[in-house]
Amino acid sequence: MKITREQALYGAKVFSDYFDRFDGIADYIREQKLNALSDVPVGLPGMGPETDLFNDSDMHPEDMKIEVHEMQQNLWDNYLSIISSHSNMTSIPGKQLRLGVLEKNTNKWLGFIRIGSPVINMKPRNQLLNSIFTESPEKAKAFNNTTIMGFAIVPTQPFGFNALGGKLLAGICCSHHVREMMNKKYKGMNVCLFETTSLYGSSKSSSQYDGMKPYIRFKGLTDSNFLPLMHGKPYDDLKEYMENAVGEPLVPEDASSRKLKISTKIQALIKAALDESDLDKFNQTINKALNLTEKKRYYASSYGFSNFVDVVTGKTDKLVPDKDNHDKHYLKNVINWWKKKASNRYVSLKRDNRIRKELEVWTGEKEIDIIR
C-alpha cells in the first residue's frame, strides 16, 4: 500500500492546516465540542433538555435530597452533550453504567456519570498494583472483574461551582451503592477498585478529585505520547482521498479502534512517500500535534477494602473491609460528607455575593467555560 509524493504532500497539508491552528489543548477540545454540537438538533426555547437540569441557587445543600438512577443511553447522551466541555462517545464496547444524580425536591438532574470497563494499561495503575494486566489471561480476567473506570463525571453548572457538585458525583462513584450496582448488573464482578483521570493535566492546577481522601486519592500522572485524532469533515475528506489513492480500505471494516488505526495508517503512508525537507516539515506538524496532549492526573478508590490489591491481581477473591474507612463508602455517609463541604462552600459564596445563577449549557450560540 503506497501513495505518490504529490498525494503525500496533499495529506501533509491537511494535517498542517488542521493541527497548526490550535494553540493548546483547550482550543483542540473546544473545536471537537463545537463540531459534535453541529449534529445535535436545536430544541424550541424552554422545551429543550436543559429544562430538566438543576438551577436553584437559593437551595442550601443541606436541604437537597440526593438520588442515584441508572438512565437510558439516549436520554443520558442528550443531557451530557449540553453540559460537558468535551465531546462524548456514544457507542462504546464493554461494561457500561450510565447514571443520573437527581435532586428529588425539585426533580431536577444535578449531574451525570458514566462508568465502564477500564483501559487495559496505565502507568500509575501499574505502579499502584505492581502489576501489568497484559501479562496473562488470568490476571486480565481478575482485573476486569474487579475494576471500573469513571469516563464522565460531570455536574451541571452552576451547581458544580456553587456546591462542589463534582465532588458529590465523584464520591457517589466511590460508594458501595454504585459498586453493588455494577456487581448486580454484570455476573461475576467483585468490584473493589474505582479509577478515573482528570480531563486536563498541566493546563489546570487542580482537579475536582482533590481533597477527597479517603474516598479517592491521587496516584500519579499518565503518559501523554499519543496523537490527537482529526475529526469532522477534514478527517472524512482525507480518509476518502487516501482510500482512493491506494484503491482499497485503509483498515478492515471490522477493525477495533478503527479511526485511530486509519489515522495511524495515513501518517505512515505520508512519511513513507516523503523525504528530506518535506518529511521534516511533516514531522514538525506531528510533533506540534503531540504537544496538544498532556499528562492527566490518575485517581483511585479502594472502596475501603484493605486487601484490594490482592483481589484485583487475582491472589484472592475474598474482600477484607478496612475498619477505619469501609463504612465511610456507604452512600448515606458519602452524601453527608459532601453536604458538610458543600455547605461551607455555599455559605462562603453567598456571603461574598459570588453565587452563580445562570444555567450553563452549550447551545451553539454561547460557549461555556472549556476548562472545567
Side-chain angles (χ1 to χ4, degrees):
M1 193 177 289
K2 294 181 179 180
I3 59 175
T4 66
R5 178 177 178 275
E6 288 71 23
Q7 292 167 335
L9 288 172
Y10 171 83
K13 184 177 186 304
V14 173
F15 270 89
S16 177
D17 290 344
Y18 187 84
F19 285 110
D20 287 355
R21 58 201 171 100
F22 300 126
D23 289 331
I25 186 65
D27 279 351
Y28 173 76
I29 292 183
R30 181 181 287 109
E31 169 79 12
Q32 311 323 311
K33 180 66 179 183
L34 292 174
N35 180 69
L37 284 173
S38 65
D39 296 327
V40 176
V42 178
L44 295 174
M47 297 182 65
E50 65 272 12
T51 60
D52 297 329
L53 304 180
F54 180 84
N55 189 27
D56 187 345
S57 59
D58 293 324
M59 181 177 284
H60 195 287
E62 285 288 353
D63 297 327
M64 295 181 186
K65 184 178 180 181
I66 310 298
E67 293 184 350
V68 181
H69 298 272
E70 186 169 4
M71 300 182 68
Q72 294 181 347
Q73 178 178 340
N74 60 339
L75 187 62
W76 188 93
D77 287 342
N78 287 341
Y79 288 133
L80 194 71
S81 68
I82 63 172
I83 68 168
S84 68
S85 61
H86 57 288
S87 56
N88 306 287
M89 298 177 65
T90 55
S91 181
I92 304 166
K95 301 180 180 74
Q96 296 292 324
L97 189 63
R98 289 176 172 83
L99 303 175
V101 179
L102 188 73
E103 199 295 303
K104 186 61 177 176
N105 297 306
T106 57
N107 208 38
K108 301 288 187 179
W109 297 109
L110 297 171
F112 304 94
I113 297 166
R114 178 170 67 83
I115 294 169
S117 300
V119 295
I120 197 63
N121 197 26
M122 189 179 295
K123 181 180 178 181
R125 182 214 294 137
N126 296 341
Q127 294 172 337
L128 171 67
L129 303 175
N130 194 29
S131 185
I132 300 175
F133 295 97
T134 54
E135 292 175 353
S136 71
E138 293 78 14
K139 276 192 173 186
K141 183 178 179 180
F143 170 67
N144 286 326
N145 286 340
T146 58
T147 306
I148 55 177
M149 190 170 205
F151 291 94
I153 304 174
V154 186
T156 60
Q157 295 292 354
F159 168 70
F161 176 83
N162 292 340
L164 303 176
K167 293 189 187 301
L168 170 63
L169 269 60
I172 288 172
C173 292
C174 303
S175 71
H176 294 308
H177 182 78
V178 167
R179 183 177 68 85
E180 290 161 2
M181 288 179 77
M182 287 295 292
N183 288 345
K184 183 178 179 180
K185 185 172 183 178
Y186 295 102
K187 184 179 178 180
M189 290 208 75
N190 188 25
V191 174
C192 59
L193 174 61
F194 170 79
E195 58 183 21
T196 191
T197 61
S198 58
L199 181 59
Y200 299 94
S202 58
S203 63
K204 203 175 182 190
S205 60
S206 61
S207 165
Q208 66 183 12
Y209 310 119
D210 292 335
M212 289 194 63
K213 296 178 182 179
Y215 296 107
I216 192 167
R217 300 171 187 267
F218 172 71
K219 294 296 182 180
L221 296 173
T222 65
D223 293 325
S224 61
N225 58 342
F226 64 92
L227 187 72
L229 293 177
M230 188 183 296
H231 296 285
K233 191 174 186 299
Y235 167 79
D236 293 334
D237 290 347
L238 181 59
K239 171 179 170 292
E240 181 180 4
Y241 178 87
M242 287 298 175
E243 288 184 335
N244 288 335
V246 300
E248 60 181 299
L250 295 170
V251 302
E253 292 292 334
D254 59 350
S256 61
S257 304
R258 194 163 181 268
K259 189 170 187 176
L260 174 61
K261 289 178 179 177
I262 289 173
S263 299
T264 302
K265 184 66 177 179
I266 291 174
Q267 293 171 53
L269 288 170
I270 293 173
K271 287 184 177 181
L274 297 179
D275 58 16
E276 298 180 347
S277 62
D278 293 328
L279 180 59
D280 290 341
K281 185 177 179 180
F282 181 65
N283 284 332
Q284 289 173 9
T285 295
I286 297 302
N287 288 335
K288 181 174 181 179
L290 284 169
N291 288 333
L292 291 174
T293 63
E294 56 187 4
K295 294 182 178 181
K296 298 180 180 180
R297 296 176 176 85
Y298 171 82
Y299 296 83
S301 172
S302 67
Y303 292 98
F305 292 108
S306 59
N307 69 330
F308 77 99
V309 171
D310 288 342
V311 178
V312 173
T313 54
K315 295 178 182 178
T316 180
D317 59 3
K318 185 177 181 180
L319 290 166
V320 178
D322 182 285
K323 61 186 176 85
D324 294 325
N325 291 321
H326 179 267
D327 289 355
K328 295 177 182 179
H329 289 262
Y330 285 109
L331 183 60
K332 179 180 178 180
N333 295 333
V334 170
I335 292 173
N336 287 338
W337 170 87
W338 164 77
K339 282 189 174 183
K340 291 178 182 178
K341 284 187 169 290
S343 295
N344 291 336
R345 166 77 170 181
Y346 180 80
V347 169
S348 175
L349 292 176
K350 196 98 170 175
R351 183 188 62 234
D352 297 339
N353 197 29
R354 293 197 298 128
I355 290 286
R356 295 182 182 178
K357 298 183 178 182
E358 183 179 357
L359 184 68
E360 296 182 27
V361 294
W362 290 84
T363 63
E365 298 176 354
K366 179 181 179 181
E367 297 178 19
I368 60 177
D369 184 8
I370 195 72
I371 302 291
R372 315 297 290 170

